[in-house]
Amino acid sequence: RRVYAVEASEMAHNTELIVARNKLDDVITVVHGKLEDLAYQEAIPEMVDIIISEWMGCFLIFENMIESVLFARDTYLKPGGMMWPSSANIYLCPVSAEDLFAERIHFWKDVYGLDMTPLVPFAQEELVSKPIRTQDVKASQLLADHMQIRHLDMYTLTTDELAKSLRSFEFRCHTSKMLHGFVSWFDVLFEPTPTPLPPPPIDVGLSESDPITQTDDEANIRSHPDVSPTPQPEDRTVVLSTSPYEAVPTHWKQDMYLIETPIHVAEGDMITGTIRVVRHTQYKRHFWVELSYT
């Protein structure tokens, strides 16, 4: 077996030193460059059995490194090969951010005895004008049960599908607090060897009384180009979650999208709306996130 470690940055040279120090030169080949460019240089001379990549960014897809992974899949992955992560999900939930507003907004009402309230509108405009990335949100701040707003199947996802999405949401509040906005997080799944469904049966004109046999090769079909993986009976899936319910936070933490004017919600209140995500037309690594709610 051979491992091709592809790295676009100068860290590729450091990686080569580590590979050499551990005497793994005969197993690991470090390839320096952008994957899309390397394809034309034939730097990776063969198809591979598995592709492993840490491509996740804020809101899962920010930075858009996932496109290089999709390119690798379409260019180098053998039929029936594996993708790790194999799938991913994005979640959304209404959130209360009392501590954040106290620190960034209400703080100006009494600064060492001075009333700086005139600065509050400016501070609030700055705070809500863009997402608050890598924010450590506690489960106690969540106002309702979260919902999944996006599922990515790494075996079938296309760049066109990635470029835009629109999803409606509906939340029933389970507590009475101030609504300051919405929080998102994601998880990625490392699922075991895919076990796709067999191809659809072909009608060859057999009657119900005709015997049906199956060869060993047919019984052990492992892949089909038109079928995405399905879970095995024994679920050995490993999940990496950035959820605020997790005891130990990841370095991604969570992302917050604050509303201009916080509103009070009571237990049982409904929050409905849509979330629209569109890739930036000029900066391809960025996405616009638009939230509408009532």
Side-chain angles (χ1 to χ4, degrees):
R1 296 289 184 178
R2 176 157 293 278
V3 174
Y4 296 98
V6 181
E7 175 56 54
S9 74
E10 295 303 314
M11 277 298 296
H13 302 306
N14 295 341
T15 305
E16 289 178 327
L17 296 176
I18 296 172
V19 169
R21 172 60 64 91
N22 290 273
K23 298 180 173 59
L24 292 170
D25 312 66
D26 59 334
V27 176
I28 301 176
T29 298
V30 179
V31 183
H32 185 200
K34 189 176 179 181
L35 193 61
E36 290 85 340
D37 299 332
L38 294 171
Y40 301 102
Q41 304 171 16
E42 299 183 350
I44 302 175
E46 59 183 326
M47 303 288 278
V48 300
D49 300 291
I50 182 171
I51 295 174
I52 304 174
S53 177
E54 190 280 277
W55 48 263
M56 298 81 73
C58 295
F59 196 67
L60 182 64
I61 57 175
F62 284 3
E63 302 175 35
N64 206 28
M65 292 185 291
I66 188 174
E67 281 201 354
S68 293
V69 180
L70 300 184
F71 177 87
R73 178 200 66 193
D74 296 340
T75 307
Y76 295 111
L77 189 63
K78 292 179 180 177
M82 295 177 63
M83 299 284 292
W84 274 1
S86 49
S87 62
N89 304 290
I90 305 176
Y91 302 93
L92 188 72
C93 191
V95 69
S96 179
E98 295 284 5
D99 290 345
L100 179 63
F101 267 67
E103 177 187 345
R104 303 281 293 274
I105 304 298
H106 305 318
F107 160 81
W108 294 104
K109 297 178 181 180
D110 183 1
V111 183
Y112 301 106
L114 295 176
D115 184 353
M116 296 189 178
T117 303
L119 298 180
V120 166
F122 303 103
Q124 188 156 339
E125 180 182 2
E126 180 182 1
L127 182 64
V128 305
S129 63
K130 54 188 177 182
I132 309 297
R133 298 183 180 180
T134 60
Q135 186 72 20
D136 190 6
V137 175
K138 307 301 181 185
S140 58
Q141 297 177 239
L142 305 181
L143 303 180
D145 293 336
H146 62 280
M147 69 171 291
Q148 181 192 96
I149 59 168
R150 192 79 193 272
H151 172 73
L152 305 182
D153 184 337
M154 294 302 293
Y155 290 93
T156 61
L157 180 67
T158 67
T159 54
D160 288 341
E161 293 170 340
L162 187 65
K164 58 183 179 181
S165 67
L166 176 66
R167 178 67 189 272
S168 60
F169 57 77
E170 182 178 273
F171 299 103
R172 181 183 296 275
C173 296
H174 54 51
T175 186
S176 297
K177 282 186 177 180
M178 294 298 295
L179 168 68
H180 291 97
F182 298 85
V183 60
S184 69
W185 64 88
F186 65 84
D187 59 29
V188 293
L189 282 66
F190 298 81
E191 295 160 294
T193 306
T195 312
L197 297 171
I202 300 174
D203 185 4
V204 293
L206 293 175
S207 67
E208 292 184 1
S209 60
D210 290 330
I212 298 177
T213 60
Q214 186 179 49
T215 67
D216 289 340
D217 288 340
E218 292 169 334
N220 289 298
I221 292 174
R222 296 183 58 83
S223 64
H224 185 267
D226 299 323
V227 180
S228 59
T230 55
Q232 293 183 331
E234 179 188 356
D235 189 1
R236 294 176 288 130
T237 299
V238 175
V239 179
L240 169 62
S241 174
T242 66
S243 166
Y245 295 106
E246 297 294 325
V248 181
T250 66
H251 82 277
W252 290 280
K253 298 181 182 178
Q254 295 83 38
D255 301 315
M256 295 181 66
Y257 307 88
L258 303 177
I259 59 179
E260 292 183 3
T261 305
I263 58 176
H264 184 269
V265 293
E267 183 178 354
D269 284 353
M270 299 299 298
I271 303 172
T272 62
T274 59
I275 179 169
R276 180 172 175 261
V277 182
V278 180
R279 185 168 56 191
H280 199 290
T281 54
Q282 184 176 359
Y283 303 103
K284 300 296 185 180
R285 291 166 60 88
H286 297 175
F287 287 80
W288 289 107
V289 177
E290 178 184 280
L291 280 156
S292 303
Y293 68 96
T294 55

